[in-house]
Amino acid sequence: MGDLSDKRFDLGDLLKDVSHLISPPEIIIRLRQALEAPHSSANSIAAIVTQDPNLSAQVLHLANSAMYGLPNRIDTVSRAISIIGTRALYHLALAVSATNTFSRLPCELVNVAVFWRHSIFTALVARSLAQRCHVLHPERLFVAGLLHDVGSLVLYSRYPEELREALMISRGNEQVLAEQEREILGFDHADVGGELLRIWGLPPVLQEAVGRHHRPGAAHQASLEVSVVHLADALSNRTEHGSFSEYGGYACLVDPGIWTTLKLNEEDTDDIWDEITPQFMEILTVILPRARA
């Protein structure tokens, strides 16, 4: 891999270098504050979202998508809140805003279309698993699944030469790639992703779900959420459309303790694909209109 002995890599310096590119938009900060306010109301949340017409349109499209399968069309943000709830709407707005922000990162080494297909597929699987495991507010696992690899966009935009060979060696196998990153840098894309969620002010549970998704055994306070994202990532990588690798699906291994933590068997996931398939292409188009499968 060339001589990297004179290189010094620091995660804090990396985040400082890209802070102007990945700062959360003002509307997300205001939504989080409104959600946490003691007298927060559906109207106050709706008032914030409707100030951004593009965000409103994307959130409404998601609320009307196959992901929810509602019988009647939702035409207003306030109506969406009354049907799916304030936290669900916040997480949908967060998902849209985050993908818009991180899509602006310049990254020549990563196939962006493949990257976001994998991210959205993983998000849908994570939400489905969260529902099966009766996790509170499953949309937050949708967000964690969607953002679980955003650290890759930062790493490969900042250290393209140092990591070029790691990408070639791994051929898109995320487990191998994370090991290569840790060997070269001392941290991996999951570590970076967890820190990015901290910068965005997301709960520590979601920070850990992203930051430990390749090392679920290292989870401290969020073993359930980490397990959901780890399993969703692995299952997605086994599929043609959902794989992180440009070379298609591969036999991505699942940490053996995951099934026990989630109280699931591998057979319990067989019907997820029937649920995900009609949602996937629609969500891909809504969240990231520039990406196409």
Side-chain angles (χ1 to χ4, degrees), residues 26-52 55-56 77-79 81-82 86-87 89-90 93:
E26 178 67 24
I27 196 166
I28 290 300
I29 297 172
R30 292 174 57 203
L31 277 173
R32 189 177 66 245
Q33 291 172 342
L35 194 67
E36 294 170 352
H39 303 296
S40 176
S41 68
N43 288 337
S44 64
I45 300 290
I48 295 171
V49 174
T50 53
Q51 288 177 12
D52 186 330
L55 178 61
S56 298
V77 172
S78 57
R79 176 68 175 158
I81 292 175
S82 68
T86 54
R87 288 190 179 275
L89 183 125
Y90 164 72

Side-chain angles (χ1 to χ4, degrees), residues 29-261:
I29 297 172
R30 292 174 57 203
L31 277 173
R32 189 177 66 245
Q33 291 172 342
L35 194 67
E36 294 170 352
H39 303 296
S40 176
S41 68
N43 288 337
S44 64
I45 300 290
I48 295 171
V49 174
T50 53
Q51 288 177 12
D52 186 330
N54 290 330
L55 178 61
S56 298
Q58 287 178 285
V59 167
L60 284 174
H61 201 150
L62 283 173
N64 284 295
S65 71
M67 189 164 78
Y68 286 98
L70 299 174
N72 299 312
R73 181 163 184 81
I74 300 173
D75 295 319
T76 65
V77 172
S78 57
R79 176 68 175 158
I81 292 175
S82 68
I83 298 294
I84 66 175
T86 54
R87 288 190 179 275
L89 183 125
Y90 164 72
H91 286 117
L92 294 184
L94 175 60
V96 170
S97 297
T99 50
N100 289 340
T101 296
F102 289 108
S103 293
R104 292 195 290 266
L105 281 170
C107 194
E108 296 179 3
L109 292 186
V110 175
N111 184 321
V112 175
V114 172
F115 175 88
W116 285 113
R117 282 206 304 266
H118 169 67
S119 299
I120 290 169
F121 204 96
T122 302
L124 289 169
V125 176
R127 181 178 183 269
S128 179
L129 288 171
Q131 291 172 327
R132 282 166 167 74
C133 298
H134 308 291
V135 175
L136 190 63
H137 307 308
E139 277 75 16
R140 65 197 178 102
L141 272 301
F142 178 87
V143 171
L146 183 70
L147 302 182
H148 76 288
D149 279 338
V150 290
S152 296
L153 297 179
V154 172
L155 281 188
Y156 293 97
S157 64
R158 181 63 178 82
Y159 303 128
E161 295 308 315
E162 292 87 345
L163 296 173
R164 188 182 302 274
E165 193 172 345
L167 275 175
M168 294 175 60
I169 291 172
S170 68
R171 290 177 60 87
N173 183 315
E174 284 199 82
Q175 293 159 320
V176 174
L177 186 59
E179 291 169 3
Q180 292 285 316
E181 291 165 353
R182 288 193 292 272
E183 182 179 328
I184 296 168
L185 303 175
F187 50 86
D188 61 29
H189 64 269
D191 296 320
V192 177
E195 285 299 298
L196 292 174
L197 265 62
R198 181 186 61 78
I199 291 171
W200 277 57
L202 300 193
V205 165
L206 293 190
Q207 296 173 31
E208 192 168 73
V210 168
R212 295 287 182 266
H213 76 269
H214 283 306
R215 292 180 286 177
H220 299 298
Q221 59 176 324
S223 59
L224 182 63
E225 289 83 359
V226 172
S227 296
V228 166
V229 177
H230 174 84
L231 180 56
D233 185 33
L235 294 177
S236 295
N237 278 320
R238 294 177 179 181
T239 69
E240 193 70 25
H241 285 301
S243 178
F244 182 85
S245 172
E246 294 183 58
Y247 303 96
Y250 60 93
C252 189
L253 299 177
V254 175
D255 186 289
I258 294 298
W259 302 108
T260 301
T261 300

